[in-house]
Amino acid sequence: MKITHIRNATLIVEYGGKTFLIDPMLAKKGTYPPFPNSIRQDQNNPLVNLPISVEEIIDGVDAVIVTHLHLDHFDDAAKQALPKDIKMFVQNEEDAAAVKEAGFKNVEVLTQNTVFEGVELIKTKGEHGRGEILKRIGLVCGVVFKDKSEKTLYVAGDTVWCSAVEEEINTHKPEIIVVNGGDNQFLEGGSLVMGKEDIYEVHKAAPHATTISVHMEAVNHWTLSREELKSFINEKDMASRVFVPDDGEVYTF
C-alpha cells in the first residue's frame, strides 16, 4: 500500500490495486474563516496550502471516503472539484443525503462488511471528543481496509482514544494505523481528536503496528504541534513505530 498525506486529514490511499481519497479538504490557504470559540482567531482556514495541485490529488481516484461532513474533512472546494459520478462512501444515511444534495450520484453508506472492487471497507466507531461536547460535535467514523494482498490498515478518523478505538484495534489487529493527532480543541470542552497521550495509548495497544499521526497544524484550533509530538515520541521511545509526516509525505508498506 501507498499512503500519501496531503494536508489535515486528507489522504490518498493506494490499496489492493485501488486508489481512495479520504476526507478531502481541497481549498486554498485562507479560504474559510477560523473555527469560532478557539485559538488563532486571526488566521483563516486552511492555515497552509496544499502540497500538490487539486488536479494531481483527484487524478486516478477510484473512490472517496468521507468520515463525516465537518468542513475540514469535506469542503466546498472538494464538492466542486470531484466528478459528480465518482464513488462516495459516507458514514450514515444523513450524511448520504447531504452528499447527494451536493450533486453526487453514486453514494453508499459504509457498513461492517462493505466491499469495493475486492477491497474490504469496514466502518469503525470513534468519539469526536469526551463528555458534553460529544452531543454537539456529532457522529464520526473511521475505516479498516483489508485485502489478501495487503497489510491491514486502520484509518481512525476524528476520534480521541476511547474503548471503541481499543476494541477496533483488538478486533482487526491492524498493522498500519493512521490517527488524527493535532489535539484540536475549542476554548472549552477538551480534546476533539487525539493528543500525544492518546497516541501513546494507541501505540501501547498495538506496539507492533506502525502509527502515522496526521490532522496537524492545518486548521486554526490545533494545539499539538508536530515538533512537540516528535519530542514526545522520542521521549517514549516510539520513534521506530510512530511517524509524523509533513504535508505531501509518502509512505509505502
Side-chain angles (χ1 to χ4, degrees), residues 31-243:
T31 298
Y32 310 116
F35 290 120
N37 190 33
S38 59
I39 56 176
R40 300 186 193 86
Q41 286 300 299
D42 59 339
Q43 295 182 41
N44 284 353
N45 290 321
L47 303 180
V48 293
N49 276 314
L50 292 166
I52 57 176
S53 70
V54 171
E55 291 73 25
E56 287 174 276
I57 291 167
I58 66 175
D59 182 42
V61 169
D62 297 299
V64 180
I65 299 172
V66 178
T67 62
H68 64 299
L69 298 183
H70 287 166
L71 178 74
D72 58 330
H73 293 256
F74 187 52
D75 69 346
D76 293 341
K79 291 171 191 173
Q80 289 164 13
L82 289 165
K84 292 300 183 281
D85 59 351
I86 198 165
K87 184 70 178 185
M88 302 287 290
F89 288 103
V90 296
Q91 65 167 332
N92 55 29
E93 292 294 349
E94 187 182 3
D95 285 13
V99 172
K100 286 173 185 172
E101 200 173 301
F104 292 93
K105 300 175 177 66
N106 191 2
V107 184
E108 183 176 337
V109 175
L110 285 167
T111 68
Q112 257 74 50
N113 50 15
T114 299
V115 178
F116 175 72
E117 298 188 14
V119 176
E120 281 185 72
L121 302 172
I122 301 160
K123 185 172 85 167
T124 61
K125 298 175 197 154
E127 294 183 6
H128 200 349
R130 295 182 175 95
E132 281 298 305
I133 203 160
L134 269 179
K135 296 171 190 169
R136 303 206 307 273
I137 294 294
L139 296 172
V140 295
C141 79
V143 61
V144 166
F145 294 74
K146 290 186 179 180
D147 182 88
K148 60 182 181 294
S149 69
E150 299 276 16
K151 294 179 177 179
T152 298
L153 166 66
Y154 172 31
V155 177
D158 265 8
T159 183
V160 294
W161 171 256
C162 58
S163 58
V165 172
E166 185 173 23
E167 190 181 313
E168 301 294 0
I169 288 172
N170 291 339
T171 299
H172 299 293
K173 298 178 171 47
E175 291 144 290
I176 315 295
I177 303 172
V178 180
V179 298
N180 291 352
D183 201 0
N184 297 50
Q185 302 185 22
F186 295 117
L187 294 178
E188 51 191 37
S191 303
L192 300 170
V193 297
M194 292 195 189
K196 55 191 182 183
E197 294 292 347
D198 299 74
I199 294 165
Y200 186 38
E201 292 300 327
V202 171
H203 172 68
K204 287 192 291 184
H208 303 298
T210 297
T211 300
I212 302 167
S213 179
V214 301
H215 201 297
M216 303 195 75
E217 300 178 350
V219 284
N220 71 284
H221 60 326
W222 68 266
T223 70
L224 176 62
S225 70
R226 286 179 169 103
E227 187 180 351
E228 184 183 350
L229 179 55
K230 285 175 181 176
S231 293
F232 179 80
I233 287 166
N234 287 330
E235 181 190 310
K236 295 293 184 184
D237 200 22
M238 302 187 289
S240 64
R241 286 292 174 195
V242 184
F243 299 109

